[in-house]
Amino acid sequence: MSRSQSYSWYYRPLEWLLLGISALPLPVLYGVARGLYWLMVYVVRYRQRVVLENMRNSFPEKTEAEIRQQAKGFYWHFAQVIVEILKLRTMSAQEVRRRVRFTNPQVLGRFFPEGKQVLTLGSHAGNWEWLLAAAALEYPGKAGGVYKPLTNPFFEQFMLRLRTRLGAHLVPMLNTLRDFVKHRGTGRTLSLLSDQAAGPEDHPYWTNFLHQDTPFYTGADKLAAQFQCAAVFISIRRARQGYYEVTFSELHDGEKPLVPEQHTLIEAFARHLERDIQANPSEYLWSHRRWKHKR
């Protein structure tokens, strides 16, 4: 079945609308983001209880006034990310390269000539969709990401096209192990958004993160140990409106043996991400129910 036939015809006007919006210049889209910000903060109060609770628990030293000010900062950041992700559907490769700068690309790139697979551990900070597209351009044929397929066929196809049109390789979450076996011995990177909430059925690793007992998925440690992967932490921050800077930090070189049960990589990931969030609180996805599970 072709891409255009995989969802019902009545989604076509929505597709035209989204493509039309995506074609608008970014300065215009940031005007749209202002409207989204106003709606989320003052009208629908989008997940306000979740956002405030997450921030209060993560920053117990801050006053209520400071928390609410940071929450507004988050909503403004989130509104910008929404229009930036939609813009990615029509952005040129040249524009993506101009707007996402890698400060130390050699940290990741040095593993590819050795034929090593590299786990890049990212998060819902900054703009994770622009990051994947930019990595696919920086390392042609080498960059991929694990994702959870959407149940709605239209949005699944729309997002799949948005994410892959500049060369990124996507792997459905349940196919991660199979993909690693298939690409064993090839120099490439696969990105895991490793800050998602792991449930009890996932047998998570628990650690203190932002002053809270927090469960993490353990797949990174298991994959790195089984396939002798290198591992790199991805830090992304907004340099100014419409521009991001990406910095890599090596967590593991793929040479020394790893014991998965020690959770070396995910603990290092938690510490790096914690520092990034504390440095730029508004640029993290606070509307996500990160702490919904208890030990």
Side-chain angles (χ1 to χ4, degrees):
M1 184 178 293
S2 70
R3 194 181 297 273
S4 62
Q5 296 174 327
S6 58
Y7 52 85
S8 300
W9 62 269
Y10 49 77
Y11 280 108
R12 191 59 60 83
L14 177 58
E15 181 181 23
W16 294 335
L17 174 64
L18 293 176
L19 289 174
I21 295 173
S22 176
L24 295 172
L26 267 173
V28 175
L29 287 175
Y30 287 129
V32 174
R34 281 289 178 191
L36 288 175
Y37 164 80
W38 187 83
L39 285 172
M40 287 191 289
V41 173
Y42 298 109
V43 180
V44 300
R45 299 179 183 275
Y46 175 71
R47 294 198 172 186
Q48 187 179 86
R49 183 185 62 80
V50 174
V51 170
L52 291 174
E53 181 181 354
N54 283 344
M55 285 190 157
R56 287 177 188 129
N57 293 336
S58 298
F59 304 103
E61 74 283 0
K62 295 187 181 297
T63 66
E64 182 64 15
E66 289 173 325
I67 292 295
R68 289 186 174 273
Q69 189 62 33
Q70 282 194 346
K72 288 184 177 180
F74 155 70
Y75 281 114
W76 173 227
H77 166 74
F78 188 42
Q80 293 175 85
V81 169
I82 290 172
V83 300
E84 287 170 354
I85 291 175
L86 183 56
K87 181 63 180 175
L88 187 58
R89 182 62 176 78
T90 56
M91 280 179 79
S92 68
Q94 181 181 9
E95 188 170 12
V96 172
R97 287 193 183 99
R98 186 168 62 87
R99 292 182 175 275
V100 181
R101 184 176 77 90
F102 294 89
T103 65
N104 56 348
Q106 71 282 356
V107 171
L108 179 58
R110 77 177 184 88
F111 294 108
F112 299 147
E114 304 171 12
K116 278 192 179 298
Q117 295 186 87
V118 186
L119 284 170
T120 44
L121 305 186
S123 69
H124 291 88
N127 187 326
W128 52 94
E129 299 289 357
W130 277 19
L131 171 59
L132 180 60
L137 295 171
E138 181 73 20
Y139 310 102
K142 303 292 186 183
V146 175
Y147 82 109
K148 185 177 181 180
L150 301 174
T151 55
N152 182 289
F154 167 73
F155 287 106
E156 167 65 9
Q157 292 293 341
F158 187 86
M159 291 302 296
L160 191 66
R161 173 61 177 160
L162 181 151
R163 289 164 167 162
T164 60
R165 55 180 290 270
L166 295 179
H169 169 63
L170 285 187
V171 180
M173 186 183 298
L174 295 179
N175 294 347
T176 304
L177 183 60
R178 184 184 309 165
D179 189 76
F180 265 86
V181 173
K182 178 180 177 181
H183 292 93
R184 187 193 294 267
T186 63
R188 62 94 186 236
T189 179
L190 195 65
S191 177
L192 304 176
L193 293 181
S194 302
D195 61 330
Q196 302 185 63
E201 69 281 2
D202 301 305
H203 306 289
Y205 168 64
W206 290 84
T207 188
N208 187 279
F209 175 70
L210 292 172
H211 303 283
Q212 298 164 84
D213 208 16
T214 307
F216 286 87
Y217 284 102
T218 60
D221 285 291
K222 294 174 182 176
L223 288 169
Q226 181 175 352
F227 294 96
Q228 292 183 294
C229 297
V232 171
F233 174 77
I234 310 174
S235 175
I236 179 171
R237 71 175 190 89
R238 188 188 298 274
R240 65 184 192 276
Q241 189 174 69
Y243 293 85
Y244 292 88
E245 288 186 348
V246 179
T247 301
F248 297 119
S249 299
E250 183 180 311
L251 303 179
H252 180 59
D253 62 6
E255 298 296 332
K256 299 181 289 293
L258 281 177
V259 179
E261 292 75 19
Q262 293 178 352
H263 305 296
T264 305
L265 295 185
I266 203 62
E267 177 63 29
F269 166 80
R271 302 285 72 84
H272 277 76
L273 178 58
E274 188 173 55
R275 287 193 291 270
D276 276 7
I277 293 172
Q278 289 168 340
N280 297 288
S282 65
E283 295 182 18
Y284 189 61
L285 188 63
W286 295 105
S287 56
H288 175 51
R289 294 186 62 211
R290 182 66 184 85
W291 291 277
K292 62 185 176 181
H293 300 298
K294 304 301 177 184
R295 191 193 289 260

